[in-house]
Amino acid sequence: MNIPVARRIRIPATRLVILWVGLLLPALPTTAQVTRTARDEWQKVEDIFSALELREGSYVADVGAGSGFFTLRLSERVGSAGRVYAVDIDADVLEELRERVDRLSLDNVEIILSETDDPRLPYHVLDAVLIVNAYHEMSEYEAMLEGIMRSLRPGGRLVIVDSPPSRPTRSREDQMERHGLALDLAAMDLSEAGFRVISSDPWFVELGSGRRGSNNWLLVAERPLERD
């Protein structure tokens, strides 16, 4: 009885090395593997992302990114086909965030050091912009909104989450010094900048007066389709 002999397959040495290395090295992540915390729940992260209308492949900016709480979650949400622009005016904070992004090998995140009057975002490509607890700090808010408007494609979303003032009848300057801003003032800013205000929620996050800064309002607006 004739027993068939197994065919010898020749694999080039270079290919063997590539296969061997591939088995040893884990796949590098392109988005963050985020560990959920209590903040994800009370900050209503999923509701914020729904307001942004995010999807796989979205281009979004996190303006006032700080340590990157939202940046990492946005990176995970938009995926490798998307892009996240983490924007802040604090170079030291951004350097820490850059190290974190590099450590996680997040190639869909771009760090941007902005000016107080210019977010320095790319022109006319963003699907959405998020500002959380940073809008009340913007002394040059008119110029910042103009820059955000330029960055958004027609129909793109701007979502602002911020703290109400402890004394809403005081001047804007007084509210800002106390790290808050009235929802009505922000909505007026957006309308004057050319945005269309879609919805607002004055009690978006309500955790009581015992947790300073945890009460937040939410404002949703968009760049009009007919704007140049």
Side-chain angles (χ1 to χ4, degrees):
M1 180 176 62
N2 295 325
I3 300 176
V5 179
R7 294 179 59 191
R8 179 178 297 176
I9 301 175
R10 295 184 180 274
I11 301 176
T14 53
R15 184 173 297 179
L16 283 172
V17 171
I18 293 173
L19 290 172
W20 178 71
V21 172
L23 290 172
L24 290 179
L25 294 178
L28 294 177
T30 57
T31 57
Q33 303 299 313
V34 178
T35 300
R36 306 302 175 197
T37 67
R39 183 180 173 184
D40 286 89
E41 182 175 355
W42 71 254
Q43 186 79 80
K44 298 185 177 179
V45 171
E46 287 302 318
D47 291 343
I48 291 173
F49 287 0
S50 294
L52 289 166
E53 292 192 333
L54 293 179
R55 62 188 183 280
E56 185 81 11
S58 291
Y59 275 44
V60 58
D62 180 11
V63 177
S67 62
F69 176 86
F70 278 98
T71 296
L72 299 186
R73 286 155 176 78
L74 289 167
S75 171
E76 182 181 62
R77 177 58 60 92
V78 303
S80 58
R83 194 79 177 161
V84 180
Y85 299 89
V87 180
D88 209 289
I89 61 172
D90 190 326
D92 293 334
V93 167
L94 281 184
E95 185 57 34
E96 293 178 6
L97 178 55
R98 187 189 307 277
E99 292 174 359
R100 192 176 184 186
V101 166
D102 289 345
R103 186 168 61 251
L104 293 170
S105 300
L106 304 183
D107 57 11
N108 68 344
V109 175
E110 182 173 333
I111 306 295
I112 297 178
L113 178 62
S114 67
E115 305 291 342
T116 57
D117 59 352
D118 186 357
R120 301 180 66 184
L121 288 165
Y123 175 72
H124 216 194
V125 300
L126 296 185
D127 299 295
V129 173
L130 175 63
I131 307 175
V132 178
N133 291 326
Y135 185 72
H136 71 267
E137 301 284 354
M138 297 179 183
S139 57
E140 305 291 335
Y141 62 91
E142 294 172 315
M144 287 295 287
L145 289 176
E146 182 180 347
I148 290 170
M149 177 72 81
R150 289 194 305 266
S151 73
L152 286 167
R153 61 169 181 78
R157 288 281 177 105
L158 169 60
V159 172
I160 302 177
V161 179
D162 217 317
S163 301
S166 56
R167 300 179 180 179
T169 59
R170 294 293 184 93
S171 67
R172 184 189 191 105
E173 291 72 19
D174 183 80
Q175 293 181 35
M176 293 171 63
E177 287 179 2
R178 297 172 185 272
H179 303 288
L181 191 69
L183 171 60
D184 291 345
L185 281 179
M188 186 182 302
D189 293 344
L190 297 190
S191 295
E192 291 177 351
F195 287 92
R196 184 173 73 89
V197 176
I198 298 172
S199 64
S200 63
D201 184 349
W203 305 107
F204 178 64
V205 173
E206 187 178 8
L207 295 179
S209 59
R211 295 193 59 172
R212 182 181 178 185
S214 295
N215 296 326
N216 288 158
W217 48 256
L218 176 139
L219 188 57
V220 183
E222 71 175 11
R223 173 180 173 141
L225 294 174
E226 67 275 9
R227 188 181 177 92
D228 294 331

